[in-house]
Amino acid sequence: MAGCRASGFLYHNVTGGEVLGVPNADGFCGVFPQAYCNSTSLTTSSCCSINNDMSNAENTASNLMGISWIPLFGWIGLMFYMKSQRQRAVEEQGGVPENSGDFDPVLKWLEGTPIEKIWKWMFGAYLGLSIYASIVLAQSTQTAFSMTDRNAIGATSAFLSPLESIFQFLEDTVTVQINYSLAAGTKDKTKEIFWTAMRSAVLSGIAASLMCTVAGKAHDSLSALVAPGSTHDHSLYPGCVLLDDAKTVADTARPYFLLYAWRFPFTFVNLVVTGLLYGAKQINLMGAIFVLGELALLLTWYWVPSESDRHDNTTLLGLAYLLQVVVVAVAAISSLYFLKPVQEFTGVDFKLAAPKATTLQGRFAEKDAEPARRPHLLGLSKLQSELMRDGAKVLAMDLCLQLSATITFYVALMHSAPTAYQLTALGNALPEYGLAYVLGIRFISKIVGAQLLSRKAYVAFKKFAMMALVATTLICCVSVGIVVAYRESIAYDYGYNACEFAGSSECFPIYESVFGGEDSLQSNFRVFAAVVVVDSLFNVCRGLVLACLDFDFIGKAAIAAFFLIYIPAILIAWGVGITARGLYIAQNAPMFVLMVGHVWRLHSNITKMSAGDDGPWSKGEGPEGAVATEGVHRVQSDDALESLPVAATEPLLRDESNNDTYA
C-alpha cells in the first residue's frame, strides 16, 4: 500500500528526512511509524511540522487580521476629531475649552526634551505592544508544551482564575467609582475608596496565595487539580508513551502553579492603583508602566535561556507572568508616591490618619464633621459598605463566567486529554482573531463612559456608545470572515503539538480525536467564529453598562445566566455524549445570553437618559456646581465629547477577558 501524507503536517525521521504514513481503513492518513516521535523529552518539531501550504495560509490569515486596526484606530481618530472640532467652536465663541490632557506632571518635566513626543504616544505604544504580546504569547504557549503539559497549564489557570476573578471586581468597581468621585470633586471619598480597596487587595491576595501554596506543595491535591483524568487517559490509550502519568504532570506543573499563585497580591494591588491613576487621567504614565510590564513578560519568556527539556518551560512561563505584575506594581506605586501633583489632584496620599480627638467635645465635633464615616455593618463606613455591595455584584459576573469555563475544562479533562486540548487551542486563538482588538474599546468605554455620565452628557454618551459598538462590529466582521475562510490552517497551527501522536498506533487515536471526524478541531473553528462575535460584543457592552453603575443588573443577569443557561447546557452536553464542540457551546451559551441582555440593558438605559429619567447612573453624577462650571466651557453638555480624557484619544488595553480561563 502506498504511503500517504497528512493533510496538515510533514513527518520526519531521526535525520530530519520526510517519512510517509499508513492510511487507516477509513482512508484517514494515520500512523507514521518511521517518524521520530516516541519520546516525551523530544520537541514536537523533531517529529513533525506544519506543511508549507497550511503554514502559508495561516500566515495570510494572521496578516489579514491587521485590518482590525482600521476600525480600532478609526474609532479613536473619530473621537479625537470630534473633540478638536468642539474645542475650536468653543474658542471661536470666546470660551476656554477644558483640556484633560494638560494635567500630566511627567509631560511638564519632559517639556522641550526629545522624549516629550514619545511620552505623548506612550499609551499608543502600549496598545500595539499589548495586542502583539497577547497574540504571540498565546501562540507560543500553545505550541511550546506537550499535550499533557498544555492541559496541566490549562488546569492550573482553570483552578486559579476563579480565585483571581473573585477580586477582579476591585478594578472594575474602583475604576468606575473613582471616576465618579473625582468628577464630583469629592477627594475624601476618593481617598477612602482607594485605601479600602488597597487593604482588601493586600489581605485577600496574600490569603489566596498562601492557600494555593498549601495545595501546590501537596502531591495528591496538585495531581487532582492539574491531572484529574490521567488514569482514565491511560486506560483509553494504553501503551501511548507520550502521555505522562499524574505524578510527572504534577511535578512539571508545580513551579508554574506556585509562581502564578504568588501573582495574586501584586495583581490585586495593581488593579486598585491603576484604577486610581486612570481616574486621575494619567494615561501616558499608565502606558509607560504597562509597557514595562509587557517587556518584562516578553523578555523573560523569549530571552531567558531554558533547558533543552521542554518540561522546564513551565517554570519559565510562571516566572515571566510573576515578573510582569511585580514590575507593574513597583512602577505604579512608586509613581503614585513620588508624583505629588497626582496626590493633590486625587486627594490620595500616604500619610497616616490623623489621631482621634482625646476630649469628649473633640469626639463629638469629629462625629458631626464626618457623618459618612460612621460605622455601619461589620464596622464599615457607609461608603465602604456601598463599595463592597457594588463589588459583590460585579464579582457575581466575573465568578459565574470563570466557573463556567472552569467546570467545562475539568469535565473535558475527566473525559479525555484530546477533548481538553481542543478547548485550550480554541481559547488561545481568541486573542489573535478578535478579542485582543476589542479589549481596549471595552476599557475605554468603562472609563470615558463614567466620566461623561458624571457630567450628565447623555447625548455624548449615546454617540460614544454607538461608535464603540460600530467599531466592535466591524472588527467582528473581519474576524469571522477570516476564521471561516482559513479555519483549517488556523486549526493546524493552534493544534500543532498534537501531531506527534500520529507517530505510533498506540497514540494515533489521540491524533484522530483532535483532527479527524465530525468533532475535529478544524470543524469546531466554525463555532469559534460565532464565539468571537459574542465575546467581543459582550465585553464592550459590559464596559458601557458598568459605566452606568448598573451593578444590580450585572449581578442578577450573571446569576440567572449561570443557573438557568449554563447548568442546563452543560448537563445536556454531558447527557448526549461529551464532545469538544458540545462543551465549547455549553461554556459560551451563558455569554450569548448575557451579550443579548447587556445590549438590551444599554439601549434601555440610554432611552431613559434621553427621556430625562433617573437611573443607577444618577447616583454618580457630580453636584450641580460641577455641571454649571463645565457649562462655561461648553455650549451644551450633550456635545461634551471634547471633555473626553486622553483615554479617548490614546488607547487603553487590559487583558480582562474572563473567557479564556484555560488558555
Side-chain angles (χ1 to χ4, degrees), residues 150 153-155 157-158 405 409 423-424 427-428 584 587 659-663:
R150 177 62 260 184
I153 291 173
S157 299
F409 191 65
L423 295 184
T424 69
N428 273 312
Y584 194 53
Q587 176 196 324
N659 310 315
D660 55 346
T661 294
Y662 39 75

Side-chain angles (χ1 to χ4, degrees), residues 14 18 53 132 154 187 189 219 244 272 287 407 425 437 459 492 504 524 619 643 662:
V14 67
E18 183 185 358
D53 290 341
Y132 170 80
K187 294 183 179 181
K189 180 178 179 180
H219 169 73
D244 294 321
V272 179
I407 293 171
Y437 299 93
V459 171
Y492 283 122
S504 68
N524 289 336
K619 66 180 181 180
S643 68
Y662 39 75

Side-chain angles (χ1 to χ4, degrees), residues 7-9 44 49-51 53-62 135-136 138-145 150 421 424-426 428-429 432-433 486-499 514-515 521-522 525:
S7 59
F9 304 105
T44 304
S49 59
I50 302 176
N51 65 36
D53 290 341
M54 289 299 169
S55 179
N56 292 336
E58 198 283 327
N59 288 336
T60 300
S62 183
I135 291 172
V136 300
Q139 289 177 321
S140 177
T141 56
Q142 180 65 20
T143 58
F145 303 98
R150 177 62 260 184
Y421 177 75
T424 69
L426 293 166
N428 273 312
E432 180 174 11
Y433 293 98
Y486 294 94
R487 61 182 176 82
E488 189 172 358
S489 61
I490 296 171
Y492 283 122
D493 182 53
Y494 278 92
Y496 160 64
N497 45 11
C499 67
V514 176
F515 297 112
L521 185 59
Q522 306 95 292
F525 263 93

Side-chain angles (χ1 to χ4, degrees), residues 60-336:
T60 300
S62 183
N63 292 334
L64 286 174
M65 276 305 301
I67 298 174
S68 296
W69 290 98
I70 297 175
L72 176 60
F73 279 113
W75 175 63
I76 295 168
L78 179 60
M79 288 191 296
F80 181 79
Y81 173 77
M82 293 178 68
K83 174 182 176 180
S84 63
Q85 289 293 102
R86 182 58 192 158
Q87 287 181 342
R88 184 178 297 110
V90 173
E91 289 174 352
E92 290 174 355
Q93 296 179 13
V96 181
E98 179 183 353
N99 190 343
S100 325
D102 281 344
F103 178 66
D104 190 339
V106 178
L107 185 61
K108 292 185 182 299
W109 295 341
L110 297 175
E111 191 172 356
T113 68
I115 308 176
E116 180 184 3
K117 292 184 178 180
I118 298 176
W119 184 260
K120 290 180 178 179
W121 289 96
M122 190 56 69
F123 231 107
Y126 169 59
L127 173 67
L129 182 61
S130 56
I131 290 178
Y132 170 80
S134 64
I135 291 172
V136 300
L137 200 65
Q139 289 177 321
S140 177
T141 56
Q142 180 65 20
T143 58
F145 303 98
S146 66
M147 179 181 289
T148 50
D149 288 350
R150 177 62 260 184
N151 285 348
I153 291 173
T156 298
S157 299
F159 175 74
L160 295 179
S161 292
L163 292 178
E164 193 167 2
S165 288
I166 289 175
F167 304 100
Q168 180 76 23
F169 74 88
L170 285 170
E171 191 270 346
D172 276 332
T173 311
V174 170
T175 299
V176 173
Q177 294 274 19
I178 282 178
N179 270 277
Y180 272 100
S181 62
L182 287 176
T186 53
K187 294 183 179 181
D188 288 343
K189 180 178 179 180
T190 303
K191 181 176 180 179
E192 186 173 1
I193 291 173
F194 177 80
W195 287 114
T196 299
M198 281 290 283
R199 285 193 295 270
S200 300
V202 173
L203 294 176
S204 60
I206 293 175
S209 297
L210 288 174
M211 181 180 68
C212 293
T213 299
V214 172
K217 289 290 186 181
H219 169 73
D220 291 340
S221 61
L222 186 60
S223 297
L225 290 174
V226 301
S230 178
T231 302
H232 181 58
D233 286 334
H234 281 85
S235 67
L236 286 175
Y237 314 108
C240 181
V241 298
L242 296 180
L243 287 178
D244 294 321
D245 57 39
K247 181 181 183 304
T248 302
V249 174
D251 291 341
T252 301
R254 182 172 289 107
Y256 175 80
F257 186 94
L258 295 175
L259 288 168
Y260 196 93
W262 278 99
R263 284 170 40 99
F264 288 159
F266 302 99
T267 299
F268 298 163
V269 167
N270 289 345
L271 295 176
V272 179
V273 179
T274 56
L276 176 72
L277 292 177
Y278 278 132
K281 304 176 186 177
Q282 298 305 295
I283 308 302
N284 295 321
L285 175 62
M286 291 313 306
I289 290 172
F290 283 128
V291 163
L292 292 177
E294 295 293 335
L295 289 176
L297 173 65
L298 292 174
L299 294 179
T300 304
W301 175 242
Y302 284 105
W303 285 10
V304 173
S306 61
E307 301 294 332
S308 58
D309 190 333
R310 61 182 174 181
H311 291 322
D312 293 327
N313 286 333
T314 57
T315 303
L316 187 60
L317 182 61
L319 180 62
Y321 280 132
L322 178 61
L323 286 178
Q324 178 192 28
V325 294
V326 170
V327 168
V328 171
V330 172
I333 294 174
S334 299
S335 300
L336 181 60

